[in-house]
Amino acid sequence: MPIEQTLSMIKPDGVKRGLIGEVIGRFEKAGLKIRAMKMLHLSLNQARAFYAVHKERPFFDSLTQFMSSGPIVALILEGDNAIQVNRDLMGATDYRKAAPGTIRADFAKEIEANIVHGSDAVETAQVEIAFFFNALERV
Ligand code: GDP
């Protein structure tokens, strides 16, 4: 299995609901190493830039308002097959379709406010990591 890095975010709903420790605990128990971490509050424009790939989708305005509604935690996770391992921990985008025991199945209450983000491919992971972290911030 390749050692990969992936970008994770604990979204504003996860931070507001006090789930930072719960989510990070799941990452660590799954063997993912935290290589960088920060809390920040995205502006609307920053959220729109991060989710630019979705700009034609009907939920783009709502999603970017939600993502800029409060602080988030951004992390670089590293490990064997880290991108898929993280996606498996998160569960499906729609919490109603997420496998039991996943973060979204256990905690999400809406398709939009679904607790976590995780990169979906090597190329997007590189872009998303660079969006949040400069070289000095990565260990
Ligand atoms: P992800 O990779 O599982 O996060 O899913 P996507 O990349 O497809 O979507 C990005 C984010 O947009 C999701 O995590 C949700 O927060 C939000 N989203 C996706 N689909 C919908 C939808 O149908 N309605 C709304 N309101 N938000 C959505």
Side-chain angles (χ1 to χ4, degrees):
M1 289 288 186
I3 298 282
E4 292 173 342
Q5 290 193 339
T6 188
L7 189 280
S8 164
M9 268 193 282
I10 303 173
K11 295 183 177 185
D13 56 328
V15 173
K16 276 194 195 101
R17 290 173 55 198
L19 294 171
I20 297 172
E22 170 71 34
V23 170
I24 291 177
R26 290 183 183 217
F27 295 154
E28 293 192 322
K29 283 195 195 92
L32 294 170
K33 303 285 182 217
I34 296 166
R35 291 297 181 211
M37 178 163 67
K38 64 169 80 162
M39 178 178 272
L40 69 157
H41 190 150
L42 292 170
S43 68
L44 180 59
N45 277 342
Q46 287 168 335
R48 290 172 70 90
F50 183 82
Y51 278 114
V53 64
H54 290 311
K55 64 179 185 299
E56 307 301 337
R57 307 284 282 276
F59 55 84
F60 181 68
D61 284 345
S62 172
L63 171 64
T64 53
Q65 279 165 22
F66 160 62
M67 288 301 299
S68 58
S69 67
I72 59 118
V73 175
L75 308 96
I76 300 176
L77 304 175
E78 185 181 278
D80 283 348
N81 211 20
I83 294 168
Q84 190 59 49
V85 169
N86 183 40
R87 298 284 303 182
D88 291 346
L89 290 172
M90 290 163 50
T93 309
D94 183 345
Y95 69 100
R96 292 165 296 193
K97 297 180 184 150
T102 59
I103 294 167
R104 285 165 167 173
D106 286 349
F107 300 112
K109 295 176 175 167
E110 299 169 31
I111 189 166
E112 182 172 277
N114 58 3
I115 313 289
V116 277
H117 166 84
S119 308
D120 62 3
V122 172
E123 300 72 30
T124 44
Q126 285 170 355
V127 172
E128 291 178 357
I129 285 171
F131 184 92
F132 282 104
F133 297 98
N134 66 38
L136 282 175
E137 295 170 317
R138 306 184 205 176
V139 295

